[in-house]
Every structure is written in structure tokens, then in C-alpha cells.
Amino acid sequence: MASSSRAKSPSPRNDASSVASSGTTKGTDLIRHPIHYYADGSFIFIVENYIFRVYRDLLARRSEVFRDLFDAPQVGDECSNTEERKGKLDRQVKIDGVPAVRLEDKAEDFAALLNIIMPNQIRGAQNYTFDKLSGIYTICDKYFIDDIREWAMSWLEDILPTSENDIHKIGG
């Protein structure tokens, strides 16, 4: 694992009590994200009330946090008894038969990150607002996706005032 001066964020929550097999979370219906729900995706993230079904290998290649999440022992791995293991696997949180985990991020930020990581989704940063770039920077910092974090920072530096004179121009 690459070393970093940043502290790791808390692990994403995989709370079976908050995600029912019926497709609801805390009394709220879950919605398939209109862009990032890939029918053949291998992992599901629940962010706010959206289901993002994505390709774990693409995320694992970009982020050591996601790689660690996917490499972590799955429910039932420690069981020696076949019946006990089957019982635990039956209780593992799944949606549409795919392992699922809840992230405590903003769905808009997570979708913006996926727009960059997923093939044919990247656009020039000039199409992004300050808030969108700031969200991309924050979520990339959290998940140690340094190349995209640096990309977002370079665009933010172009947007942000860098001198007192620039600040006065904005203030009028």
C-alpha cells in the first residue's frame, strides 16, 4: 500500500440493518443512479438514496481505499463450518445479488468522481462549477485518488483568486 501523509477516512459502512433486501434504506426507497448503474457491474455503493452499480476492478486500480475495501474478508470468510458460512453469506448485504456497501458521501460528489473514472465520461473541467470541482477534490482526497485530486486542484487554482488584487476584482 502506498504511504500517504493523509489519515485514512473511516471505512465505508456495511450495515445490514440500514439496507434491507427489499431495496430500502432507513425507510427511504433506493433509486438506481441514471448514469452509473451498470447492469453487469460487480459491486454496489449506496450513496444517499442512490444505488451505484459499478466495476470494482476499475475503482480498485484508482484507489487504495477501494482496493482495501474489496480485498477485505467478506462475511463468512472466517467460518470453518460450511453451514455457518452459508448462513452468514445469506445475511450479507446484497442488492440484485451483488455485494453492497453504504458510503457516507454526497451522491453528487460520488457521481462526479465516477464521471471521471468510468470510460468515456471525462470532460474538460471548464464544464464544472466551483462546487463540483471542490466536491471532486474532497472525495478524491478521501479515497486517495491522487491524480484526479491534483487535476481538480489545478482547475480550482485557476478559479480561485491568488492575490489581493484578484480578490478586489471579484468584490467589485
Side-chain angles (χ1 to χ4, degrees):
M1 179 185 306
S3 64
S4 176
S5 60
R6 288 172 279 155
K8 276 202 173 185
S9 302
S11 296
R13 206 176 55 166
N14 188 0
D15 183 356
S17 66
S18 72
V19 182
S21 60
S22 64
T24 63
T25 179
K26 296 180 183 176
T28 305
D29 289 334
L30 296 176
I31 304 163
R32 290 179 177 177
H33 191 269
I35 297 172
H36 298 295
Y37 186 93
Y38 302 96
D40 60 343
S42 55
F43 201 85
I44 289 177
F45 289 103
I46 303 161
V47 187
E48 294 177 339
N49 64 327
Y50 286 97
I51 302 171
F52 293 85
R53 186 170 177 171
V54 297
Y55 305 102
R56 59 183 275 165
D57 292 340
L58 286 175
L59 292 173
R61 279 187 242 150
R62 299 304 295 262
S63 165
E64 68 183 74
V65 175
F66 288 128
R67 186 171 42 254
D68 290 347
L69 171 72
F70 300 138
D71 288 344
Q74 297 299 308
V75 173
D77 282 355
E78 71 284 351
C79 300
S80 58
N81 178 312
T82 305
E83 285 301 313
E84 180 184 359
R85 184 177 196 162
K86 182 182 181 316
K88 286 189 175 191
L89 288 173
D90 288 343
R91 290 188 303 272
Q92 185 174 19
V93 177
K94 292 186 179 184
I95 296 176
D96 298 335
V98 177
V101 69
R102 171 171 291 288
L103 299 180
E104 299 298 328
D105 295 301
K106 290 177 17 182
E108 181 179 5
D109 292 346
F110 195 67
L113 172 65
L114 293 176
N115 285 341
I116 294 170
I117 291 176
M118 303 307 275
N120 301 316
Q121 294 293 325
I122 197 161
R123 297 177 192 96
Q126 63 272 18
N127 296 325
Y128 291 103
T129 64
F130 172 82
D131 289 340
K132 182 92 53 184
L133 285 168
S134 178
I136 291 169
Y137 176 87
T138 301
I139 202 165
C140 287
D141 190 54
K142 178 179 180 179
Y143 293 112
F144 297 170
I145 305 174
D146 295 330
D147 60 328
I148 299 173
R149 180 181 52 83
E150 291 169 12
W151 170 85
M153 178 52 82
S154 71
W155 282 96
L156 284 168
E157 287 171 346
D158 287 345
I159 295 171
L160 295 172
T162 57
S163 70
E164 189 174 334
N165 190 31
D166 290 340
I167 293 171
H168 290 299
K169 287 180 191 176
I170 293 172

